[in-house]
Amino acid sequence: MKIESGRAVGGGVGAKRAGGAAAPGFSVGAEATQRVAAAAPAGAVAGVDALMALQGEADPMQRRARQARRGRAALDALDELVKGLVLGTLPESVRTQLQRLRRDAETTGEPELDSLLREIDTRVEVELAKLEMVARVA
C-alpha cells in the first residue's frame, strides 16, 4: 500500500448506488440496500432535549405553592428591612435575600396570584433601588 501525502482525506458524500462499483463476484442484495436506505440520521439528541424539558417542567400546583412561599418570604424580608431601617441596623443578609427572591420570580398561571406577586416584586425592586442609592452615596 502506498501512502500519498498530497491527497486530501474527505468524508463520504452519500450512499453509493448498489452494483455500480462492486468488485467482480460481489453484489449487494436488494434487502441490504433497503436497510441502509432506512437508516435514520442521528436525531435522537432532539428527543432527549424534549424529554429533559418535560421532566424539568414542574406541576402547576407546585409552582403555585413555590411562588406563594416566595411571596410570603418577600413580605417577611420587607418587614425585616423596615425594622432594620427603624433601628438603624440593616443586615446585609436582608438585601441579599431580597435580591434572591427577585431572581426566583416566575408566573403561576393564575391571574390574581400573579398580579399580587407582581405588586410585591415591584415593592422589592423599589426598596432594592433605594438601598443601592444609599450604598452609592456612602
Side-chain angles (χ1 to χ4, degrees), residues 95 128-138:
R95 182 178 181 192
L128 283 171
K130 287 179 184 177
L131 290 173
E132 287 178 22
M133 281 181 29
V134 169
R136 284 186 202 147
V137 171

Side-chain angles (χ1 to χ4, degrees), residues 28-122:
V28 178
E31 180 181 321
T33 305
Q34 289 175 351
R35 280 188 291 180
V36 171
V45 175
V48 172
D49 288 343
L51 183 61
M52 294 299 284
L54 286 174
Q55 287 178 345
E57 198 56 41
D59 178 35
M61 293 306 289
Q62 291 174 347
R63 184 175 36 209
R64 181 189 186 286
R66 185 174 53 245
Q67 289 305 302
R69 281 192 306 272
R70 187 188 67 82
R72 284 191 293 275
L75 290 174
D76 291 342
L78 289 169
D79 284 344
E80 288 298 315
L81 176 67
V82 169
K83 287 178 192 175
L85 291 173
V86 168
L87 296 175
T89 56
L90 180 64
E92 183 63 30
S93 62
V94 173
R95 182 178 181 192
T96 305
Q97 183 181 13
L98 287 171
Q99 289 171 337
R100 181 184 53 80
L101 290 166
R102 174 183 62 181
R103 199 175 43 245
D104 293 343
E106 62 182 331
T107 59
T108 64
E110 294 184 29
E112 296 85 14
L113 180 58
D114 287 341
S115 174
L116 181 62
L117 289 171
R118 274 193 303 274
E119 289 179 24
I120 294 171
D121 290 338
T122 301

Side-chain angles (χ1 to χ4, degrees), residues 4 6-14 16:
E4 296 178 14
R7 294 182 61 171
V9 178
V13 176
K16 294 183 179 179

